[in-house]
Amino acid sequence: MASDGDGRVAPSRPRGSYPKGQARRQQILDEAVLVFGRSGSMSGSLREVAKRVGLTPAGLLHHFASKEELFAEVLRQRDERVRDAAGEPAEHGLIAQAAAVVAYNQTTRGLTSLYTTVVAEAADPDHPLHDDFAERYRARAEGTAELLRAGQRAGEIAPDIDPEAAARLISAVMDGIQQQWLLDETVDMTALFDEFVRGYLHPAASPR
Amino acid sequence: MASDGDGRVAPSRPRGSYPKGQARRQQILDEAVLVFGRSGSMSGSLREVAKRVGLTPAGLLHHFASKEELFAEVLRQRDERVRDAAGEPAEHGLIAQAAAVVAYNQTTRGLTSLYTTVVAEAADPDHPLHDDFAERYRARAEGTAELLRAGQRAGEIAPDIDPEAAARLISAVMDGIQQQWLLDETVDMTALFDEFVRGYLHPAASPR
């Protein structure tokens, strides 16, 4: 999902080690997180980032090995901001943290869209980020399943759900409702996620 | 989702009306559905389709206004095959049809991947298929909600779920588990979908 704060896209290696190149690289990334956070079109955004740092799009990509590497680094910095905004699941409670991530993603449409596109492209086994994303989802599923089991022991999570499957389903719902919201902003991601929590994760207050 | 059979990507207009051009176009599409259905890499697949019909990739795109148009047409023909394989929700029952779609998508990895990428790119409001996909999800949600209400009246769907939200959630889960399966084929889409149906859509057999 464009979503959580607990997985990460592996950081890419900076090219060259000159302080000036490093500063320029960070300047590009800062602008990219801003511009992608706001904007919709990916190619348009790339041009705008380049313009804001006084480069051509081709010149901008001189600071990264590829467009994929720039996007990976933008998403890594985005992960940090999501963590700052929504905290860690273990810290705030799984459901509260997930709901905070859903709310945060609504405020950074362009980055959410970038994430969705990159993860879809990464389905290709030859994509440079394929293994990173597979591991990101696997690690998150494992962490979430553990929190769900703890929640079941505490009586906060329905006792009959399968924690491993539920962990994967939480990511799936977050990714899927995000995709629908990107296509149509009248889709209320928060309400959909609440309904999923109410109907699936929470123990029923009364017999259904 | 890469998923259902009830929404459609709008068909593109054939370029020119010469029977020979039409036949060539269909030949490209037939090969494309085959090659994308099997393969992983999108650019690699495009090259292979071109090769199989004796064209260069650029020559292939001469028969379509753009790569997006080719992909839209491939996905439209895929929709028809999904319908042939899984039927209509109203005909076979919502849950059985959705489960059949999940199972079908596992057999056509490349097309599933193509769908996921195109729908992610269509999040861009300037993408030529943006409105088509928004409408596709909206129409499907409407149809699904109606079937869910009927299911509630028949006692087959949990009485306390919100049919409109549940309709969106079913698509979200199908899209999201598909994405995770594309990244990691050890993810069992069928088991995940079954757990979602059991825990959310179905009335509990006993109080939870």
Side-chain angles (χ1 to χ4, degrees), chain A residues 37-122:
Chain A
R38 217 180 43 220
S39 169
S41 152
M42 221 158 289
S43 57
S45 300
L46 202 61
R47 268 195 303 277
E48 195 190 332
V49 173
K51 201 177 152 195
R52 287 166 74 114
V53 295
L55 291 170
T56 62
L60 183 149
L61 289 175
H62 177 74
H63 293 266
F64 296 86
S66 64
K67 197 172 72 175
E68 283 74 24
E69 193 190 296
L70 168 65
F71 287 168
E73 196 58 23
V74 169
L75 292 176
R76 201 188 60 76
Q77 299 208 347
R78 174 182 171 280
D79 281 349
E80 285 173 11
R81 295 183 192 203
V82 173
R83 253 190 302 276
D84 290 346
E88 299 283 358
E91 182 186 354
H92 296 289
L94 178 66
I95 294 168
Q97 192 267 353
V101 171
V102 170
Y104 179 81
N105 285 337
Q106 290 197 56
T107 67
T108 57
R109 179 186 166 90
L111 285 177
T112 302
S113 179
L114 177 67
Y115 177 95
T116 303
T117 306
V118 173
V119 75
E121 290 173 349

